[in-house]
Amino acid sequence: MEVHMLKVSLSLNPKESEMFELMLRLLYIETLGHDGSFAHIHPVNLCQSKNPRLKRVGYLLTTLCINRESKLSILMLSTIQKDLASTNLHHVMYCLTALPKLLNKTIIEGSVEPLVKLLKHPTDLVRKKTLIALQKIHELQPAVLPTYKTYLQ
């Protein structure tokens, strides 16, 4: 019943203000073990939102619902690059929090350079999360970061 209601609600082109509740319903559906793959594109789209609340929910649901090998994760590459280069600290943090769970070959290739630049960020939490993301990249593809140990210093 809830799955059907969500399908209908999403097909009516909901306003941005309604998306938060609809995405919570998606989380509820996925948590109960039902297939919510029909709505997986919506969290990806929310990651591009200017609204910080929706962006945060978008990244959260993207990490929970989308497999890192999914074609939808490839759509995240430009959003990730844009958020890593953002001057808005919250956008950078949302992205860095989700990035280790989203990494695949395509995203790794497109995010290494912006991540290395973030190692010089003035905020210590950004540098810490950047190192976590680089460590995950090193685990998945060691050849991409041959000098990984130097970043730890």
Side-chain angles (χ1 to χ4, degrees), residues 16-17 19 28 34-35 37 40 42 45 57 64 71 77 81 94 99 102 107 109 111 114 117 121 135-136 144 149 152:
E16 204 173 67
S17 59
M19 285 302 288
Y28 176 70
H34 299 288
D35 182 27
S37 61
H40 286 174
H42 295 286
N45 291 337
V57 168
L64 294 174
K71 292 186 184 200
L77 181 59
Q81 289 173 333
Y94 301 152
L99 192 59
L102 296 172
I107 292 177
E109 291 170 1
S111 61
K117 288 179 184 176
H121 197 276
Q135 179 181 9
K136 187 67 172 180
V144 174
K149 302 274 188 216
L152 295 175

Coordinates of all heavy atoms in Angstrom, one line a residue, residues 16-17 19 28 34-35 37 40 42 45 57 64 71 77 81 94 99 102 107 109 111 114 117 121 135-136 144 149 152:
E16 N 9.3 20.7 -4.3 CA 10.5 20.4 -3.5 C 10.2 20.3 -2.0 O 10.8 19.6 -1.3 CB 11.6 21.5 -3.7 CG 13.0 21.1 -3.5 CD 14.0 22.1 -3.9 OE1 14.0 23.2 -3.2 OE2 14.8 21.9 -4.8
S17 N 9.2 21.1 -1.6 CA 8.8 21.1 -0.2 C 8.2 19.7 0.2 O 8.2 19.4 1.4 CB 7.8 22.2 0.1 OG 6.7 22.1 -0.7
M19 N 9.1 16.8 -1.1 CA 10.1 15.7 -1.4 C 10.7 15.1 -0.1 O 11.0 14.0 0.0 CB 11.2 16.2 -2.3 CG 10.8 16.4 -3.7 SD 10.2 14.8 -4.5 CE 11.7 13.9 -4.6
Y28 N 11.5 4.4 4.6 CA 10.6 3.4 5.3 C 10.4 2.2 4.5 O 10.5 1.0 5.0 CB 9.3 4.1 5.6 CG 8.2 3.3 6.3 CD1 8.4 2.9 7.6 CD2 7.1 3.0 5.6 CE1 7.4 2.1 8.2 CE2 6.1 2.2 6.2 CZ 6.2 1.8 7.5 OH 5.3 1.0 8.0
H34 N 11.0 -3.8 1.1 CA 10.3 -3.7 -0.1 C 11.2 -3.0 -1.2 O 12.1 -2.3 -0.9 CB 9.0 -2.8 0.0 CG 8.0 -3.4 1.0 ND1 7.3 -4.6 0.7 CD2 7.7 -3.0 2.2 CE1 6.5 -4.8 1.8 NE2 6.8 -3.9 2.7
D35 N 10.8 -3.3 -2.5 CA 11.6 -2.7 -3.6 C 11.2 -1.3 -3.8 O 10.1 -1.0 -4.2 CB 11.4 -3.6 -4.8 CG 12.2 -3.1 -6.0 OD1 13.3 -2.5 -5.8 OD2 11.8 -3.3 -7.1
S37 N 13.2 0.6 -5.9 CA 14.2 1.0 -6.9 C 13.5 2.0 -7.9 O 14.2 2.7 -8.6 CB 14.7 -0.2 -7.7 OG 13.6 -0.9 -8.2
H40 N 14.7 5.5 -6.9 CA 16.1 5.8 -6.6 C 16.7 7.0 -7.3 O 17.7 7.5 -6.8 CB 17.0 4.5 -6.8 CG 16.8 3.4 -5.8 ND1 17.3 2.2 -6.0 CD2 16.1 3.4 -4.7 CE1 17.0 1.5 -4.9 NE2 16.3 2.2 -4.1
H42 N 15.3 9.8 -7.4 CA 15.0 11.1 -6.7 C 16.0 11.5 -5.7 O 16.3 12.7 -5.6 CB 13.6 10.9 -6.1 CG 12.5 10.8 -7.1 ND1 12.1 11.9 -7.9 CD2 11.8 9.8 -7.6 CE1 11.2 11.5 -8.7 NE2 11.0 10.2 -8.6
N45 N 18.7 13.2 -7.5 CA 18.4 14.5 -7.9 C 18.4 15.5 -6.7 O 18.8 16.6 -6.8 CB 17.0 14.5 -8.5 CG 16.9 13.9 -9.9 OD1 17.9 13.8 -10.6 ND2 15.8 13.4 -10.3
V57 N 19.4 14.9 2.9 CA 18.6 13.7 2.8 C 18.9 13.0 1.5 O 18.9 11.7 1.5 CB 17.1 14.1 2.8 CG1 16.2 12.9 2.4 CG2 16.7 14.5 4.2
L64 N 22.3 4.8 1.2 CA 21.5 3.7 1.7 C 20.9 2.9 0.6 O 20.8 1.6 0.8 CB 20.5 4.2 2.7 CG 20.9 4.8 4.0 CD1 19.8 5.4 4.8 CD2 21.7 3.8 4.8
K71 N 24.3 2.2 -12.1 CA 24.5 3.2 -13.1 C 24.1 4.6 -12.5 O 24.5 5.6 -13.0 CB 23.7 2.9 -14.4 CG 24.2 1.8 -15.1 CD 23.6 1.5 -16.4 CE 24.2 0.2 -16.9 NZ 24.1 0.1 -18.3
L77 N 28.6 11.7 -10.2 CA 30.0 12.2 -10.3 C 30.1 13.7 -10.4 O 30.8 14.4 -9.7 CB 30.7 11.6 -11.5 CG 32.1 12.0 -11.8 CD1 33.0 11.7 -10.6 CD2 32.7 11.4 -13.0
Q81 N 31.8 16.2 -7.7 CA 32.9 17.2 -8.0 C 32.5 18.6 -7.6 O 33.3 19.4 -7.1 CB 33.2 17.1 -9.5 CG 33.9 15.8 -9.8 CD 34.1 15.6 -11.3 OE1 33.3 16.1 -12.1 NE2 35.1 14.9 -11.7
Y94 N 28.5 17.0 3.6 CA 27.6 16.0 3.1 C 28.2 15.1 2.1 O 28.0 13.9 2.2 CB 26.3 16.7 2.5 CG 25.5 17.6 3.4 CD1 24.8 18.7 2.8 CD2 25.5 17.5 4.7 CE1 24.1 19.5 3.6 CE2 24.8 18.4 5.5 CZ 24.1 19.4 4.9 OH 23.4 20.3 5.7
L99 N 30.7 10.0 0.4 CA 31.7 9.5 -0.7 C 32.2 8.1 -0.4 O 32.3 7.3 -1.4 CB 32.8 10.6 -0.8 CG 33.7 10.4 -2.1 CD1 32.8 10.5 -3.3 CD2 34.7 11.5 -2.1
L102 N 30.0 5.5 -1.8 CA 29.6 5.6 -3.2 C 30.7 5.3 -4.2 O 30.5 5.2 -5.4 CB 29.1 7.1 -3.5 CG 27.8 7.5 -2.8 CD1 27.6 9.0 -3.0 CD2 26.6 6.7 -3.2
I107 N 33.9 7.1 -10.2 CA 33.9 8.2 -9.2 C 35.3 8.4 -8.6 O 35.7 9.5 -8.3 CB 32.8 7.9 -8.0 CG1 31.4 8.0 -8.6 CG2 33.0 8.9 -6.9 CD1 30.3 7.6 -7.7
E109 N 38.1 8.0 -10.2 CA 38.9 8.8 -11.1 C 38.6 10.2 -11.1 O 39.4 11.1 -11.3 CB 38.7 8.2 -12.5 CG 39.3 6.8 -12.7 CD 38.9 6.1 -14.0 OE1 38.2 6.7 -14.8 OE2 39.3 5.0 -14.2
S111 N 37.3 12.0 -8.6 CA 37.3 12.7 -7.3 C 38.6 12.8 -6.6 O 38.7 13.4 -5.6 CB 36.3 12.0 -6.3 OG 36.6 10.7 -6.1
P114 N 40.1 16.6 -6.6 CA 39.4 17.5 -5.6 C 39.7 17.1 -4.2 O 39.8 18.0 -3.3 CB 37.9 17.4 -6.0 CG 37.8 16.9 -7.3 CD 39.1 16.1 -7.6
K117 N 43.1 18.3 -3.0 CA 43.0 19.8 -2.8 C 42.4 20.0 -1.4 O 42.8 21.0 -0.7 CB 42.2 20.5 -3.8 CG 42.9 20.6 -5.2 CD 42.1 21.3 -6.2 CE 42.8 21.3 -7.6 NZ 41.9 21.9 -8.6
H121 N 42.4 22.2 3.3 CA 41.2 23.0 3.8 C 41.5 23.5 5.2 O 42.1 22.8 6.0 CB 40.0 22.1 3.7 CG 38.7 22.8 3.8 ND1 38.1 23.3 5.0 CD2 37.9 23.3 2.8 CE1 37.0 23.9 4.7 NE2 36.9 23.9 3.4
Q135 N 41.6 7.0 2.1 CA 41.9 5.6 2.6 C 41.0 4.6 1.9 O 41.5 3.6 1.5 CB 41.7 5.6 4.1 CG 42.0 4.2 4.7 CD 41.7 4.1 6.2 OE1 41.2 5.1 6.8 NE2 42.1 3.0 6.8
K136 N 39.7 4.9 1.7 CA 38.8 4.0 1.0 C 39.2 3.9 -0.4 O 39.2 2.7 -1.0 CB 37.4 4.6 1.1 CG 36.4 3.6 0.6 CD 36.3 2.4 1.4 CE 35.1 1.5 1.0 NZ 35.0 0.3 1.8
V144 N 45.8 4.1 -7.9 CA 45.4 5.4 -8.1 C 46.2 6.4 -7.1 O 46.5 7.5 -7.5 CB 43.9 5.6 -7.9 CG1 43.5 7.0 -8.0 CG2 43.1 4.8 -8.9
K149 N 50.6 7.3 1.6 CA 51.3 7.5 3.0 C 51.7 8.9 3.2 O 51.7 9.4 4.3 CB 52.5 6.5 3.1 CG 52.1 5.1 3.0 CD 51.7 4.5 4.3 CE 51.6 3.0 4.1 NZ 50.5 2.4 4.8
L152 N 49.1 11.3 4.8 CA 48.9 11.1 6.2 C 49.8 12.0 7.1 O 49.5 12.2 8.3 CB 49.1 9.6 6.7 CG 48.1 8.6 6.1 CD1 48.5 7.2 6.5 CD2 46.7 8.9 6.5

